Amino acid sequence: MPGKGDAPVLPGARAVARHVRISPMKARRVVNLVRGLPAKEALTVLQFAPQAASEQVYKVLASAIANAENNERLDPDALLVSEAFVDEGPTMKRFQPRAQGRAYRIRKRTCHITVAVEAVAPAAPRKAAAKKAAPATEAAPATEAAPATEAAPAEAQSKTEGAE
């Protein structure tokens, strides 16, 4: 993918669906849900989104992931939806007959859906490292408290021995 100016170019791929028979405004609602998400998570969001346009956006995103995997040799788990947008396509004009010889225009709108994915470092190892570090900090106070809990039963035992 071409870079802008001096910005480094991240490896990625894109897919475009042209002349999709969905209104651009309706498709934009769905595209806004997945922009910036990890690719696998975006597929899951689209799979369960109730909008009709989510099926078409799902296909375009799946195609972009397949392009990255097969053409660019990228790991599909390390992909991020870097850009996703919807452009207006050609509008088909039809006429609906109305009363008294009138005709109302019906606009059947189309759109072009574009999704681009980029390779990023997988986020899972960073989260795992943070989880490993957290118990280590909690373990230190627990070791300090452990001798105090061990001393308490010893004192109680010596009191019971002294009473006998």
Side-chain angles (χ1 to χ4, degrees):
M1 292 175 42
K4 295 178 183 174
D6 296 334
V9 178
L10 291 174
R14 58 183 271 174
V16 181
R18 294 177 49 84
H19 307 289
V20 178
R21 261 296 286 123
I22 291 175
S23 157
M25 287 181 71
K26 293 177 182 177
R28 282 186 193 112
R29 275 184 65 201
V30 175
V31 165
N32 290 339
L33 292 174
V34 298
R35 190 179 294 118
L37 290 178
K40 294 290 184 182
E41 187 177 331
L43 285 175
T44 306
V45 167
L46 290 172
Q47 187 175 2
F48 295 107
Q51 291 87 359
S54 62
E55 182 180 350
Q56 296 296 326
V57 177
Y58 181 94
K59 287 181 180 181
V60 177
L61 178 58
S63 178
I65 293 170
N67 289 343
E69 190 175 0
N70 295 321
N71 299 343
E72 305 292 330
R73 304 276 185 239
L74 298 174
D75 180 24
D77 295 327
L79 294 176
L80 179 80
V81 180
S82 59
E83 60 180 16
F85 55 90
V86 177
D87 292 327
E88 202 171 312
T91 300
M92 298 184 288
K93 294 165 184 84
R94 303 292 182 261
F95 290 96
Q96 175 74 34
R98 303 300 291 197
Q100 299 181 0
R102 293 184 178 92
Y104 282 5
R105 178 175 285 177
I106 295 175
R107 292 178 213 87
K108 295 182 181 267
R109 300 184 186 272
T110 63
C111 65
H112 307 313
I113 302 170
T114 305
V115 176
V117 293
E118 287 182 352
V120 294
R126 282 186 263 158
K127 289 181 181 178
K131 288 181 182 178
K132 288 179 184 176
T137 57
E138 293 173 7
T143 55
E144 293 172 6
T149 55
E150 291 173 5
E155 290 174 11
Q157 188 177 6
S158 63
K159 287 181 184 177
T160 54
E161 289 174 6
E164 291 175 5

